[in-house]
Amino acid sequence: MLIMILLGKRSYQFNELHRSIESISQRMLTRTLRGLERDGLVSRTVHPTVPPTVEYDLTPLGRTFLGPLSALADWAVVHGPDIAAAREHHDAR
Amino acid sequence: MLIMILLGKRSYQFNELHRSIESISQRMLTRTLRGLERDGLVSRTVHPTVPPTVEYDLTPLGRTFLGPLSALADWAVVHGPDIAAAREHHDAR
DNA sequence: CAGCATCCTACCAGATACTG
DNA sequence: CAGTATCTGGTAGGATGCTG
């Protein structure tokens, strides 16, 4: 989700993404990007420069997913605290 | 998601849910329901009858999640085939 | 810069059997 | 009916080191 949301704003390079999402390991970032690419949601463009740069973008299909995604993200922003509260209340008993 | 969508329509009992979602094991159904309950999205009401019946419902908070959820489900219905196609196209090469 | 290869472990979830 | 208990194989993902 974070990757998709970032790419929804602009293109990113690999390490740029990695820096923007510190909590993800390199391995998982690669795997996730490959999965998204495989599913046709993200495009991966290699620029044959030295050193090489790789540009990640949302595909048109990927962009259609931004709607449902922000519906989810907005919900999380509003109701996330409620869930945290429910959990604590549950733990307490 | 399937559980939430079903409970969005009406109350269910445990085995009723299990029958409605054949692909889930009893263990996972229990675990998932406990998680949803813990997060305050689903309520679990035990009716002290013999044999006991347990009623599952969405909480008010759970109901607020139906919007984002159907946004996702609708997207999947429309674009699911696109993803399948992207995968095959990817596998082919 | 943008990864891949390898090793290792903790957790996940299925199968199966049992219970108030 | 509505679960719990136990065992177990499989895998997800972190850590680390290497490469064109």
Side-chain angles (χ1 to χ4, degrees), chain A residues 23-41:
Chain A
S23 53
I24 197 172
S25 69
Q26 187 203 49
R27 177 197 167 100
M28 275 313 294
L29 181 55
T30 310
R31 295 215 160 195
T32 306
L33 285 170
R34 291 287 185 281
L36 292 171
E37 190 193 355
R38 185 188 144 101
D39 288 348
L41 297 171

Side-chain angles (χ1 to χ4, degrees), chain B residues 15 26 30 34 44 54 56:
Chain B
N15 282 340
Q26 190 203 43
T30 309
R34 291 285 185 281
R44 177 174 178 274
V54 176
Y56 289 97

Side-chain angles (χ1 to χ4, degrees), chain A residues 4 36-37 39-43 57-59 61-62 65, chain B residues 75 83:
Chain A
M4 293 286 295
L36 292 171
E37 190 193 355
D39 288 348
L41 297 171
V42 164
S43 69
D57 290 278
L58 291 190
T59 61
L61 176 60
F65 193 60
Chain B
W75 185 91
I83 295 216

Side-chain angles (χ1 to χ4, degrees), chain B residues 48 61 64:
Chain B
L61 176 60
T64 69

Side-chain angles (χ1 to χ4, degrees), chain B residues 5-93:
Chain B
I5 288 171
L6 284 175
L7 291 182
K9 297 174 186 168
R10 63 173 176 90
S11 297
Y12 277 81
Q13 294 184 6
F14 185 85
N15 282 340
E16 210 180 354
L17 272 176
H18 200 183
R19 276 187 297 273
S20 301
I21 311 176
E22 324 133 40
S23 54
I24 198 173
S25 68
Q26 190 203 43
R27 176 200 170 102
M28 274 315 292
L29 181 54
T30 309
R31 296 217 158 196
T32 307
L33 285 170
R34 291 285 185 281
L36 292 171
E37 190 193 355
R38 185 187 144 101
D39 288 349
L41 296 172
V42 163
S43 69
R44 177 174 178 274
T45 314
V46 181
H47 297 279
T49 57
V50 180
T53 64
V54 176
E55 184 188 343
Y56 289 97
D57 289 279
L58 290 190
T59 62
L61 176 60
R63 241 168 268 118
T64 69
F65 193 61
L66 288 176
L69 196 53
S70 48
L72 235 91
D74 292 349
W75 185 91
V77 168
V78 174
H79 297 285
D82 296 346
I83 295 216
R87 282 206 181 139
E88 280 183 41
H89 185 250
H90 210 91
D91 287 346
R93 312 188 282 131

